[in-house]
């Protein structure tokens, strides 16, 4: 009898446990803000209920502005920019890469050089120790003229100024002349005119050479060149 009673009790317990295991598991939904960037983020929330609240930080959101605010979430139109006036054309000689406003100051390389006059400040007054000329009345000073050359060819020249004894000597004959090839070398030669009636040879007194491009950066309206005792000043104007 005791044995039967024990078996019945055990059977009842087994069935009771089985019923407990068969019960469905219930999941509890917790509504709240699931966005961790919100001020009211709820770490235990399983369902976002749209209640998230965010901190509003007004400020300038443009990183190129001087008052850029990396923490701003709303651009309030307060951005301030550094104003640098200058030439914004990269082809200009005074281009400013940092300029934000073009102030109309752009300057461009000249396209030509106008040679208006040639002034001889000094030159050798003897020809290797001897006088340049011997005239009908004895020794004479040189009769000087200039020749402007480029690449071995004559461009312009003057007639001679005779019996030069003092300086400066000013040449304006056949000038002004406009030079357009600014990267080329030009030479101004000075000669003593020894021709009489087309007979005789002219003697080279000296020469000076210049390349216009090398003087652009200096600007101004004069170029001074010196070579082997010849000192001359060129009166010029840069042509845009």
């Amino acid at each position: 009898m005791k044995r039967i009673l024990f078996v019945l009790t055990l059977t009842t317990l087994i069935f009771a446990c089985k019923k407990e295991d068969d019960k469905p598991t219930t999941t509890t939904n917790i509504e709240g803000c699931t966005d961790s960037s919100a001020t009211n983020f709820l770490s235990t929330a399983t369902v976002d209920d749209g209640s998230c609240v965010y901190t509003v930080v007004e400020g300038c959101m443009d990183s190129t502005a001087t008052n850029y605010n990396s923490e701003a979430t709303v651009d309030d139109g307060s951005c301030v920019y550094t104003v640098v006036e200058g030439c914004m054309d990269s082809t200009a000689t005074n281009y400013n890469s940092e300029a934000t406003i073009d102030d109309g100051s752009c300057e461009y390389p000249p396209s030509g050089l106008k040679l208006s006059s040639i002034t001889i400040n000094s030159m050798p007054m003897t020809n290797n120790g001897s006088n340049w000329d011997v005239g009908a009345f004895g020794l004479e000073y040189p009769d000087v003229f200039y020749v402007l050359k480029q690449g071995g060819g004559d461009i312009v020249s003057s007639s001679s100024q005779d019996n030069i004894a003092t300086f400066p000597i000013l040449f304006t004959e056949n000038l002004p002349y406009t030079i357009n090839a600014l990267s080329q070398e030009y030479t101004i030669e000075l000669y003593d005119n020894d021709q009489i009636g087309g007979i005789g040879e002219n003697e080279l007194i000296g020469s000076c050479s210049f390349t216009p491009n090398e003087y652009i950066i200096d600007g101004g309206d004069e170029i001074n060149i010196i070579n082997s005792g010849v000192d001359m000043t060129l009166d010029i104007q840069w042509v845009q």
Side-chain angles (χ1 to χ4, degrees):
M1 183 70 178
K2 284 183 180 180
R3 181 180 256 180
I4 293 171
L5 188 58
F6 173 76
V7 171
L8 289 172
T9 302
L10 183 59
T11 301
T12 302
L13 287 172
I14 290 171
F15 276 105
C17 289
K18 222 168 175 190
K19 283 184 180 180
E20 285 294 325
D21 293 339
D22 291 342
K23 285 183 180 180
T25 302
T26 302
T27 301
T28 303
N29 289 327
I30 300 175
E31 294 185 348
C33 175
T34 60
D35 188 345
S36 60
S37 65
T39 57
N40 61 331
F41 168 62
L42 182 60
S43 60
T44 57
T46 58
V47 177
D48 195 299
D49 60 359
S51 65
C52 293
V53 177
Y54 300 90
T55 300
V56 175
V57 178
E58 294 186 348
C60 174
M61 298 181 68
D62 187 346
S63 60
T64 64
T66 56
N67 62 329
Y68 167 64
N69 185 354
S70 60
E71 297 180 355
T73 58
V74 176
D75 196 304
D76 60 0
S78 66
C79 293
V80 177
Y81 301 89
T82 301
V83 176
V84 178
E85 294 186 350
C87 174
M88 298 180 68
D89 187 345
S90 59
T91 65
T93 55
N94 61 331
Y95 167 63
N96 185 353
S97 60
E98 297 180 355
T100 58
I101 295 179
D102 196 303
D103 61 0
S105 65
C106 293
E107 298 175 359
Y108 299 90
S111 61
L113 179 148
K114 183 166 71 174
L115 176 60
S116 299
S117 68
I118 301 170
T119 300
I120 309 304
N121 302 308
S122 63
M123 68 179 196
M125 293 302 290
T126 60
N127 183 6
N128 294 321
S130 302
N131 288 71
W132 288 105
D133 292 335
V134 178
F137 301 99
L139 300 177
E140 293 182 353
Y141 293 106
D143 306 325
V144 183
F145 68 93
Y146 81 87
V147 178
L148 175 63
K149 311 182 81 168
Q150 196 280 312
D154 295 358
I155 299 176
V156 290
S157 61
S158 70
S159 56
S160 63
Q161 296 190 31
D162 296 340
N163 205 25
I164 295 297
T166 59
F167 298 96
I169 312 168
L170 177 65
F171 288 104
T172 58
E173 187 178 354
N174 293 323
L175 299 174
Y177 178 81
T178 300
I179 295 171
N180 294 312
L182 300 182
S183 62
Q184 301 296 315
E185 183 180 73
Y186 294 81
T187 300
I188 298 174
E189 295 179 340
L190 299 179
Y191 287 90
D192 172 33
N193 183 5
D194 280 347
Q195 290 188 350
I196 301 176
I199 300 174
E201 294 183 358
N202 298 319
E203 295 179 282
L204 177 65
I205 298 173
S207 65
C208 290
S209 298
F210 69 102
T211 302
N213 270 350
E214 296 178 357
Y215 296 88
I216 290 177
I217 192 170
D218 298 330
D221 55 7
E222 289 184 347
I223 293 177
N224 184 248
I225 42 182
I226 301 173
N227 180 53
S228 298
V230 178
D231 181 336
M232 63 178 67
T233 300
L234 313 181
D235 182 22
I236 63 162
Q237 179 181 349
W238 296 105
V239 180
Q240 295 296 328

